[in-house]
Amino acid sequence: TYVGLVSSDHSVTVGALGKVKGQIEAPLIQIDGCVEGNLKASRLLEVLKNARIEGDIFTPCGGLKFMIGGAFKGNFFVIPAVE
């Protein structure tokens, strides 16, 4: 389990066995593991089939891809797209 802020100028991936307790910020975020914390994707957030998310999601309009099987508990916010 990683505890703390995860930030990238490109992408962040949490694999099926990954666990994060903290905020994740990046243009592209892919989650297939467990996350307890907020997710802030400036372009796209992909919630894959093994994902378990507890926290708030922030993405631009059209910036959320959610596969069958993924679970999410929290609030969803649409933010302005980054040019």
Side-chain angles (χ1 to χ4, degrees):
T1 301
Y2 177 83
V3 179
L5 173 67
V6 178
S7 181
S8 172
D9 292 332
H10 302 285
S11 66
V12 173
T13 299
V14 177
L17 300 177
K19 293 182 181 180
V20 175
K21 288 187 178 184
Q23 183 163 293
I24 300 175
E25 299 176 358
L28 172 62
I29 301 173
Q30 293 178 311
I31 305 296
D32 201 28
C34 297
V35 176
E36 290 181 35
N38 296 339
L39 302 171
K40 295 184 177 184
S42 58
R43 280 192 303 153
L44 178 66
L45 170 64
E46 291 183 291
V47 180
L48 304 177
K49 66 180 182 177
N50 298 308
R52 299 294 176 262
I53 299 168
E54 189 170 329
D56 295 338
I57 291 176
F58 299 82
T59 66
C61 186
L64 179 63
K65 182 177 178 182
F66 211 107
M67 294 187 70
I68 293 172
F72 161 63
K73 180 180 178 183
N75 297 300
F76 174 66
F77 298 93
V78 176
I79 58 174
V82 175
E83 297 291 324

